[in-house]
Amino acid sequence: MPESRLHQLSALGQSVWIDSLSREWLQTGELERMMREDAVVGVTSNPTIFQKAMAEGDWYDEQLREVLETESDPKEIFLQLAVRDIQEACDLFRPVWDDGKGQDGYVSIEVDPGLAHETGATVEEAQRLHEWVDRPNAYVKIPATKGGLPAIEEMIARGRNINVTLIFSLQRYAEVAEAYIKGLERLVKAGGDPSTVASVASFFVSRVDTEADKRLVEAGHPELNGKLAIANAKLAYQRYKEIFSGSRWENLAAKGATKQRCLWASTSTKDPAYRDVMYVEDLIGPETVNTMPKETMAAFQDHGEVALTLEQGIDEARALFRKLAEIGVSYDAISETLEREGVEKFADSFRELIEWIEEKRKQLAPA
């Protein structure tokens, strides 16, 4: 079989992860197939993903009946279902993690989005999830809110793997990287081994254009539509290269610390006017991750163009930021709106999950 486009992309140093997980994929071998045929080396999940997976078919009914015999709290019921999927996926990807010395092979589970602004509660739940999943290749996702930043630092200092999610702005990204480095420094000072800790910084890409495009049209500049998301990610990668270099970082690297890679999330194209693989094609570069929905992955396998693009057009990206300021479109307002709405959307999905479990409990009770 000829090498697939996603295998070619991987050869350029970008890891392919799948932005979804379900019991069906685990039990039918579909996830294993994607590992083999689509170069998939990691998995991300969130409340929206689990809501969709659990609502389709009856894949969770058997375990749900078992759990209902001893548990009545809907959140705890959900976590028992989700954790089993995460554990099975971690076990499936464990050889990838072993072979790559902890670079890939990770599976992510997210803390309750309702805790996004509560540092202490986030730390408590992140610690609990890590202990419950009990796999070295598990990531716990913490949102990059103001309340999330100290929780990220604390969990890294405890030697735990963290996927920092819902990053939209360059300023917040710099704060996320600082939290990671401070956490590693605390870990080392306490006598811990930083080589056992991993983290990714997850930028949500397409949503930036969705929000920016509306504002650009209102400002009378629709010709700039579809450009900010990619420019934002490209400048984030430049910031990544600056942060993870120099004496402060080299001191940690000498002790075995690994860089917190940029992960491109929300890479499906929301606007049908745009090329359906633009958020993959234009962000290909080494030491990064692209976590794709299955549909985007299939589209890229069919017609994606593979080339190192992440460091092309940097001057144009900076010029776009200057142009936004000139025409009165606030980058800060865009990113602040996206962070607030991102937390709200995940919290809404979590509530819908709880409602689904309540409804399922009623349906299964007579059985």
Side-chain angles (χ1 to χ4, degrees), residues 31-253:
L31 187 56
E32 191 173 14
R33 181 201 65 76
M34 287 188 278
M35 294 173 70
R36 187 174 60 253
E37 298 180 10
D38 298 317
V40 171
V41 290
V43 176
T44 47
S45 71
N46 58 47
T48 304
I49 285 166
F50 272 118
Q51 178 206 359
K52 185 172 182 288
M54 291 182 182
E56 290 180 351
D58 55 4
W59 295 94
Y60 294 87
D61 287 7
E62 183 179 348
Q63 186 192 359
L64 192 50
R65 287 190 182 94
E66 296 172 6
V67 173
L68 287 172
E69 292 178 6
T70 57
E71 183 59 68
S72 59
D73 185 314
K75 179 178 173 179
E76 293 304 308
I77 294 168
F78 158 69
L79 286 175
Q80 290 204 38
L81 301 178
V83 166
R84 179 182 290 185
D85 282 0
I86 297 294
Q87 288 173 326
E88 288 187 18
C90 281
D91 292 343
L92 181 61
F93 280 87
R94 180 62 187 268
V96 175
W97 186 83
D98 287 334
D99 292 346
K101 299 181 174 61
Q103 180 80 350
D104 285 302
Y106 290 97
V107 182
S108 300
I109 185 171
E110 187 154 350
V111 296
D112 181 344
L115 307 176
H117 304 291
E118 301 175 32
T119 301
T122 295
V123 169
E124 185 178 337
E125 178 146 312
Q127 180 72 25
R128 180 187 178 216
L129 288 174
H130 262 300
E131 291 174 356
W132 191 350
V133 175
D134 193 24
R135 300 292 191 276
N137 56 327
Y139 267 133
V140 170
K141 295 172 83 172
I142 296 176
T145 57
K146 282 293 185 184
L149 291 170
I152 293 158
E153 179 185 332
E154 175 61 27
M155 293 307 297
I156 296 297
R158 294 184 184 190
R160 296 297 189 173
N161 303 326
I162 298 297
N163 177 341
V164 184
T165 188
L166 290 175
I167 305 173
F168 296 99
S169 76
L170 297 172
Q171 175 60 36
R172 186 52 54 85
Y173 167 61
E175 294 168 353
V176 165
E178 178 67 14
Y180 176 60
I181 291 172
K182 275 187 177 177
L184 288 176
E185 289 171 337
R186 286 173 54 193
L187 177 65
V188 168
K189 188 175 181 180
D193 179 4
S195 71
T196 64
V197 187
S199 182
V200 288
S202 296
F203 266 84
F204 278 52
V205 184
S206 65
R207 292 190 192 181
V208 173
D209 279 340
T210 301
E211 182 63 29
D213 287 0
K214 294 185 293 188
R215 296 169 185 251
L216 287 164
V217 169
E218 290 170 3
H221 287 275
E223 77 279 3
L224 299 178
N225 281 12
K227 297 182 184 299
L228 181 58
I230 289 168
N232 195 42
K234 289 189 176 201
L235 294 184
Y237 186 68
Q238 294 301 304
R239 192 75 62 89
Y240 157 83
K241 289 172 65 181
E242 293 166 6
I243 292 169
F244 293 98
S245 62
S247 58
R248 184 185 183 194
W249 175 251
E250 293 304 327
N251 185 46
L252 287 168

Side-chain angles (χ1 to χ4, degrees), residues 17-21 44-46 49 141 265-266 291-294:
W17 292 7
I18 182 76
D19 191 22
S20 194
L21 180 64
T44 47
S45 71
N46 58 47
I49 285 166
K141 295 172 83 172
S266 184
T291 185
M292 309 175 202
K294 193 175 183 183

Side-chain angles (χ1 to χ4, degrees), residues 293-321:
K294 193 175 183 183
E295 298 77 15
T296 302
M297 190 172 289
F300 192 86
Q301 286 286 54
D302 180 67
H303 53 265
E305 296 179 7
V306 182
L308 287 170
T309 53
L310 187 51
E311 296 197 83
Q312 295 176 2
I314 301 303
D315 290 342
E316 290 86 343
R318 294 192 173 110
L320 176 63
F321 273 68

